[in-house]
Amino acid sequence: EDQVTQSPEALRLQEGESSSLNCSYTVSGLRGLFWYRQDPGKGPEFLFTLYSAGEEKEKERLKATLTKKESFLHITAPKPEDSATYLCAVQPGGSQGNLIFGKGTKLSVKP
Amino acid sequence: ETGVTQSPTHLIKTRGQQVTLRCSSQSGHNTVSWYQQALGQGPQFIFQYYREEENGRGNFPPRFSGLQFPNYSSELNVNALELDDSALYLCASSLGGGVSYEQYFGPGTRLTVT
């Protein structure tokens, strides 16, 4: 069964304290792995797509990496405005395009 | 470039009623996917429409149905509403046909069933 597990469920950081979020996946073939940011009561905002092991993508203070079994979202020197829930999703190979999401990691950054 | 829009923003319905939610896809996109997100959970795939045809369906009962129109906008219909249908309903658009797999989400419709 295709499955995505994110850890930790919640993470509290001080401003400037770097850390990483984990996304482990079990999928029958991987068409792509996606990271989204979601603010309370709003739709997910697209961040990154990763397609193959070893691939890395960066955007401002965020960097996403991918291995054959997991992905990491590294946050360098976070700011309070980085506080949000970060969602990881996979698209299985051979799927009709549906995304399978994890439950997310809720990040709080204190000033 | 216009992003994904959804209407209404919020909706309150009574158990047993029917509801229609609407979505306009991002300019240039021909594929629309619908997701249900319960509080504290990740979005769950309901179904996807590609060029007006249902292209895939998740584990949702037949009382969840949809349409896609020639301009690629879409509707989600839910009949015989149940209390557990209370959730944030998200629409996502993409450029299908194997061109790109990235899905861009709208702001969602918050449905409350009482």
Side-chain angles (χ1 to χ4, degrees):
Chain A
E1 182 185 350
D2 299 327
Q3 193 170 329
V4 176
T5 303
Q6 291 189 245
S7 61
E9 290 185 8
L11 181 62
R12 292 186 177 186
L13 300 174
Q14 288 296 128
E15 185 172 2
E17 181 187 1
S18 301
S19 189
S20 296
L21 314 183
N22 177 262
C23 170
S24 308
Y25 62 91
T26 303
V27 67
S28 50
L30 179 69
R31 185 171 283 171
L33 184 141
F34 306 84
W35 282 98
Y36 289 86
R37 169 195 169 124
Q38 187 173 29
D39 293 303
K42 298 192 176 181
E45 174 191 346
F46 173 78
L47 294 174
F48 303 111
T49 307
L50 301 168
Y51 291 108
S52 57
E55 191 174 358
E56 298 183 352
K57 294 270 180 78
E58 283 189 70
K59 179 181 179 180
E60 296 180 356
R61 295 177 293 282
L62 300 176
K63 179 180 177 180
T65 61
L66 180 64
T67 72
K68 288 186 177 180
K69 293 295 182 185
E70 58 191 352
S71 176
F72 292 93
L73 184 65
H74 307 278
I75 303 178
T76 302
K79 298 181 178 182
E81 53 262 41
D82 294 322
S83 298
T85 295
Y86 290 85
L87 295 167
C88 171
V90 298
Q91 190 171 94
S95 71
Q96 295 299 322
N98 57 295
L99 297 179
I100 299 171
F101 281 85
K103 293 183 178 181
T105 294
K106 184 175 182 179
L107 174 66
S108 299
V109 182
K110 302 293 185 184
Chain B
E1 186 178 272
T2 308
V4 180
T5 60
Q6 292 186 243
S7 63
T9 305
H10 296 90
L11 205 51
I12 300 174
K13 289 286 188 178
T14 303
R15 190 173 50 184
Q17 286 187 317
Q18 178 265 342
V19 69
T20 297
L21 310 181
R22 295 177 175 84
C23 170
S24 291
S25 60
Q26 183 168 313
S27 176
H29 286 181
N30 55 17
T31 302
V32 172
S33 305
W34 285 92
Y35 293 82
Q36 180 195 66
Q37 187 176 24
L39 209 58
Q41 303 294 314
Q44 298 285 316
F45 175 70
I46 303 175
F47 44 58
Q48 182 182 87
Y49 279 84
Y50 171 61
R51 292 185 175 178
E52 303 179 59
E53 297 285 333
E54 186 177 292
N55 190 42
R57 189 177 184 93
N59 190 25
F60 280 81
R63 58 190 185 85
F64 286 79
S65 63
L67 282 174
Q68 188 180 31
F69 300 99
N71 66 353
Y72 303 128
S73 65
S74 177
E75 286 183 355
L76 164 65
N77 300 289
V78 187
N79 293 322
L81 283 167
E82 301 177 359
L83 296 179
D84 285 349
D85 294 334
S86 295
L88 182 67
Y89 287 85
L90 297 163
C91 163
S93 78
S94 56
L95 192 56
V99 176
S100 172
Y101 305 115
E102 294 170 0
Q103 298 187 15
Y104 295 87
F105 285 82
T109 294
R110 170 70 62 186
L111 173 64
T112 302
V113 182
T114 62

